[in-house]
Amino acid sequence: MAPRFTPKVVTANALLEGDVVYLTADDRWSRHHAEAELIEDEAHAQLRLLHAASQKLIVVGAYLADAKAGPNGPEPTHFREVFRTRGPSNYAHGKQVETGHV
Amino acid sequence: MYKYSDFDESFVRARVAQFTGQVERRISGGLTEDEFRPLRLMNGLYLQLHAYMLRVAVPYGTLSPRQMRQLAYIADTWDKGYGHFTTRQNIQYNWPKLPDVPAILGALADVEMHANQTSGNCIRNVTSDHFAGAAADEIEDPRPVAELIRQWSTDHPEFQFLGRKFKIAITGAPNDRAVTKAHDIGLRMVRNEQGAPGFEVIVGGGLGRTPMIGVTMKPFLPKADLLPYLEAVLSVYNTLGRRDNKYKARIKITVHETGAEEFARLVEERFAVIRPLFSGIDQDLLADIEKAFAPPAYRNAPVDGFDAFYAADPVFRAWADTNLTEHKNAQYAIVTISLKAPGQTPGDATSDQMRVMADLAERYSHGELRVSHEQNIILPHVHKSDLPTVHAALTQAGLGTANVGLISDIIACPGMDYCALATARSIPVAQGIALRFNELKLEHDIGPLKIKISGCINACGHHHVGHIGILGLDRAGVENYQITLGGDGTETAVVGERAGPGFAYDEIIPAIERLITAYLEVRLSPDETFLETYRRLGLGPFKAALYPEDAARNAA
Ligand code: SF4
């Protein structure tokens, strides 16, 4: 039996600012993880990743990151992805101050 | 100080113009990311976790006050008001935006700086002893040779596409402060029996996934043979080095797989072919460069003011005891400015601090600054009578921390707070250790101790050669920290030994504390350093302190 597919979000960095972005269900790039489309199907995930990779003038390095459903939308599961939603831990820089991270 | 030639100037300007066009084409869609990536890396621009990062070369760690002020200006104008000094004696900006990078490179070019060859599989920025040109123990200032190597290696057509990056470090002193044994090529100045200076050439050192101490390939190489010999080593590496596997591509693996003797033989063979092609122009050039590195006009003035202050002021005394190093001129001292105030990010300086350091260098250090691979800033030539004033100014700017060489003078790479390759954070671990020992007030009692932290196996934080090394890993989706003990990055270099299983993020600082408590208990006297104690006793007592449950079980 194939292992169960872990839900994913499509994430990348914005071309101009380098900021972390997430692909939404309505084809926008959001700065907020909670607005990402939570993808529960493997074939759909590949399609969404292809779509993201084609947006060469908006984002760089799109990939699928593990996520889970949360009360306010998708949440990251791995600590690296958690840090990417926030910014560095040594200064109040990045998303934690720029986008009102909760 | 060394000034760029017109050639350098137009070369750097041409590169800025070229990259400006490349950025424009990337933004407008003329270049894909796959095409653009190698181009931006050649210009020091990385894409990291949260933003782009620009790595600016500081050749052999030498900066003028004007350059330091420009670095501050760049931090204020295009970044977040600070910069991060690295273990490669470079400075990194963590928040540049892609469209601004050409302007930043232009501002760097205005002060003869650039970001070339700070990335990619080429000969990287040459690093050197941060006390070069000032240290009392030095045979000769190694920087003219470092500059010669820089000029020779810049855009060298044969070495633009090496199998992997290539790092050269150089020191002119017997006490190795440039970690020469952990570089692809390390050069240590030595004298031959006639007293003439030359180089011990060490090849195949490196940290990272497979840490290795370099092998001495030439115990004495005459200075005039240096470039042809380097070219021979590079050439053999370029031919034999593996390109099938990134992890086996560094010269250390080539030397290991070929055998050091065979490698040295091949180098000699190649050297015999190349040597006659060097007509001596390089030596003429070196002579010119040496003039530009002539020592400053030292002042001759009494130093009693220093002695009186030293006797009277305990805060000044503590700082003088840790942060000063003996200068070749007895009236002078080398000042190490600590960028390691407990709780601060190792190696970070605000733009205000950069300006203070630039001003002090201009007024009190004959216009010179150095960046150390230990992530501190050096004022190489300060007259002792000026030290109380310099110390007061530094203290006011939050730069007066008296901890150089002590437990809170930690090397830490950016780790997972910035670096896209990281497997765990390193900065908060460094902050936590420094704050904890500051609280315990034990730092001076513990004495000389080097803690070095890397956020992944690439070992930018030199953890293998830390007396205590900490390596952050991702173990099953959780940050985990492995400790190595007994590493040494000096002329007696050794790779540290792994102490045992790793520790979780919230366990690592208590673990370090247990380690230090054990050291304080078992050392013979306060004069026996951590490293000496470790060498005398081995892992045993430290392992018992790190893993008390195991020790208890074994005793039962
Ligand atoms: S050691 Fe790893 S985490 Fe640290 S800076 Fe180097 S690549 Fe990044």
Side-chain angles (χ1 to χ4, degrees):
Chain A
M1 205 178 88
R4 241 192 99 232
F5 179 70
T6 322
K8 302 273 190 294
V9 296
V10 176
T11 180
N13 291 76
L15 172 65
L16 298 184
E17 300 86 8
D19 194 6
V20 175
V21 291
Y22 304 95
L23 185 62
T24 66
D26 58 352
D27 284 353
R28 284 177 303 113
W29 286 100
S30 168
R31 305 296 202 223
H32 302 271
H33 193 285
E35 290 181 11
E37 174 185 12
L38 188 68
I39 307 167
E40 316 236 18
D41 172 81
E42 188 160 8
H44 184 56
Q46 290 308 324
L47 280 177
R48 296 302 282 159
L49 184 60
L50 277 176
H51 172 73
S54 73
Q55 312 230 328
K56 296 190 173 72
L57 293 186
I58 307 173
V59 298
V60 181
Y63 64 95
L64 295 166
D66 287 351
K68 61 175 194 274
N72 303 312
E75 292 171 1
T77 55
H78 190 275
F79 63 90
R80 183 179 195 269
E81 293 305 321
V82 175
F83 297 152
R84 287 179 80 244
T85 68
R86 281 204 301 249
S89 53
N90 60 333
Y91 299 116
H93 288 159
K95 286 194 187 308
Q96 56 202 330
V97 287
E98 281 159 15
T99 52
H101 174 86
V102 275
Chain B
M1 234 174 97
Y2 180 73
K3 296 281 289 174
Y4 265 13
S5 65
D6 293 345
F7 170 77
D8 290 311
E9 165 78 18
S10 54
F11 177 81
V12 169
R13 294 282 174 197
R15 275 291 279 271
V16 174
Q18 199 180 46
F19 190 58
T20 304
Q22 290 160 350
V23 169
E24 277 164 12
R25 275 181 285 148
R26 175 66 184 100
I27 292 174
S28 66
L31 287 174
T32 65
E33 185 61 19
D34 284 348
E35 290 162 337
F36 180 64
R37 192 171 171 273
L39 301 174
R40 69 166 156 78
L41 288 175
M42 279 171 68
N43 290 280
L45 186 64
Y46 287 72
L47 183 54
Q48 295 288 35
L49 270 192
H50 315 291
Y52 286 96
M53 179 273 280
L54 183 67
R55 180 180 295 155
V56 177
V58 181
Y60 33 90
T62 296
L63 279 174
S64 69
R66 177 165 158 261
Q67 290 172 324
M68 185 66 114
R69 284 193 197 102
Q70 189 78 337
L71 294 176
Y73 170 77
I74 291 169
D76 284 338
T77 311
W78 295 289
D79 208 90
K80 292 190 190 291
Y82 76 100
H84 175 71
F85 291 97
T86 78
T87 55
R88 300 265 318 132
Q89 297 181 303
N90 292 322
I91 180 170
Q92 294 180 176
Y93 292 105
N94 286 325
W95 302 95
K97 295 191 171 25
L98 180 59
D100 293 337
V101 174
I104 300 176
L105 294 179
L108 288 170
D110 290 345
V111 293
E112 305 181 334
M113 292 182 78
H114 58 75
N116 302 342
Q117 290 186 215
T118 59
S119 171
N121 295 336
C122 56
I123 301 173
R124 300 285 187 90
N125 187 24
V126 178
T127 51
S128 94
D129 180 0
H130 42 269
F131 296 155
D137 61 357
E138 183 171 274
I139 297 174
E140 267 179 26
D141 185 347
R143 292 174 306 154
V145 173
E147 172 57 27
L148 183 71
I149 296 172
R150 184 191 73 80
Q151 296 191 12
W152 159 79
S153 66
T154 298
D155 249 14
H156 192 300
E158 192 181 336
F159 307 134
Q160 290 306 295
F161 295 96
L162 296 169
R164 201 77 178 87
K165 58 186 166 186
F166 203 92
K167 299 176 182 175
I168 301 175
I170 179 167
T171 175
N175 296 305
D176 183 2
R177 291 171 289 261
V179 210
T180 57
K181 293 196 172 175
H183 282 76
D184 296 291
I185 295 180
L187 300 170
R188 290 183 68 210
M189 201 176 274
V190 284
R191 288 189 194 277
N192 65 4
E193 278 155 19
Q194 290 75 46
F199 288 101
E200 175 188 354
V201 184
I202 302 156
V203 181
L207 302 175
R209 184 174 295 255
T210 324
M212 286 189 191
I213 299 301
V215 185
T216 299
M217 219 147 259
K218 202 87 183 164
F220 182 85
L221 181 74
K223 258 167 96 178
D225 287 347
L226 185 64
L227 285 192
Y229 193 83
L230 290 181
E231 200 152 312
V233 173
L234 260 302
S235 176
V236 171
Y237 165 60
N238 213 9
T239 312
L240 294 185
R242 287 175 61 169
R243 289 167 195 266
D244 60 322
N245 180 341
K246 184 177 157 182
Y247 301 119
K248 298 199 187 295
R250 295 290 287 266
I251 192 174
K252 60 188 172 189
I253 306 289
T254 319
V255 170
H256 195 74
E257 288 184 348
T258 314
E261 267 176 44
E262 174 64 5
F263 192 94
R265 192 189 63 77
L266 291 167
V267 171
E268 289 299 335
E269 229 175 69
R270 183 79 190 134
F271 177 73
V273 176
I274 296 175
R275 183 65 186 90
L277 305 177
F278 279 74
S279 59
I281 296 176
D282 58 317
Q283 292 308 300
D284 298 343
L285 184 61
L286 180 61
D288 283 347
I289 298 171
E290 275 168 352
K291 280 182 216 139
F293 281 96
Y298 295 121
R299 208 167 76 202
N300 186 11
V303 297
D304 344 342
F306 166 78
D307 297 333
F309 220 87
Y310 183 87
D313 181 345
V315 176
F316 176 74
R317 189 161 58 238
W319 177 79
D321 285 345
T322 49
N323 294 37
L324 300 184
T325 306
E326 199 185 342
H327 194 283
K328 59 172 91 168
N329 179 323
Q331 287 184 11
Y332 275 72
I334 304 170
V335 172
T336 300
I337 303 172
S338 168
L339 299 183
K340 314 284 178 66
Q344 295 301 307
T345 304
D348 279 12
T350 65
S351 54
D352 284 340
Q353 290 176 329
M354 290 182 210
R355 278 183 286 264
V356 167
M357 294 188 284
D359 291 349
L360 289 174
E362 196 155 70
R363 291 190 57 183
Y364 303 110
S365 180
H366 294 271
E368 284 195 40
L369 292 145
R370 307 284 167 71
V371 182
S372 81
H373 80 268
E374 294 180 321
Q375 300 178 291
N376 291 315
I377 300 293
I378 315 296
L379 299 174
H381 312 288
V382 182
H383 193 271
K384 284 185 179 164
S385 63
D386 291 329
L387 287 168
T389 318
V390 168
H391 176 246
L394 288 172
T395 304
Q396 253 194 345
L399 293 168
T401 312
N403 66 348
V404 170
L406 301 181
I407 193 170
S408 62
D409 183 11
I410 299 171
I411 288 187
C413 79
M416 208 186 270
D417 287 302
Y418 298 92
C419 180
L421 302 173
T423 42
R425 287 172 293 176
S426 38
I427 292 169
V429 175
Q431 291 171 310
I433 293 171
L435 285 173
R436 179 64 186 140
F437 284 91
N438 192 42
E439 196 174 87
L440 294 172
K441 298 286 167 236
L442 274 177
E443 175 153 73
H444 289 267
D445 190 23
I446 297 163
L449 179 61
K450 291 184 192 297
I451 298 187
K452 302 182 196 278
I453 311 176
S454 305
C456 83
I457 203 163
N458 288 329
C460 303
H462 297 178
H463 64 276
H464 298 113
V465 292
H467 302 166
I468 299 177
I470 302 177
L471 166 63
L473 295 169
D474 173 351
R475 249 187 68 201
V478 186
E479 284 168 297
N480 188 271
Y481 294 88
Q482 234 172 49
I483 295 179
T484 48
L485 296 174
D488 173 2
T490 69
E491 62 283 359
T492 45
V494 254
V495 169
E497 210 176 333
R498 229 184 99 184
F503 295 88
Y505 182 73
D506 57 3
E507 291 170 358
I508 182 67
I509 293 163
I512 299 297
E513 195 175 328
R514 290 201 297 282
L515 204 54
I516 298 302
T517 310
Y519 155 64
L520 293 176
E521 276 165 16
V522 299
R523 69 180 177 186
L524 289 177
S525 78
D527 292 333
E528 192 184 48
T529 64
F530 179 88
L531 189 60
E532 287 162 357
T533 306
Y534 178 82
R535 285 182 173 165
R536 179 170 57 85
L537 295 174
L539 263 179
F542 300 104
K543 221 174 155 137
L546 284 173
Y547 309 101
E549 301 83 25
D550 290 3
R553 204 171 321 123
N554 291 342

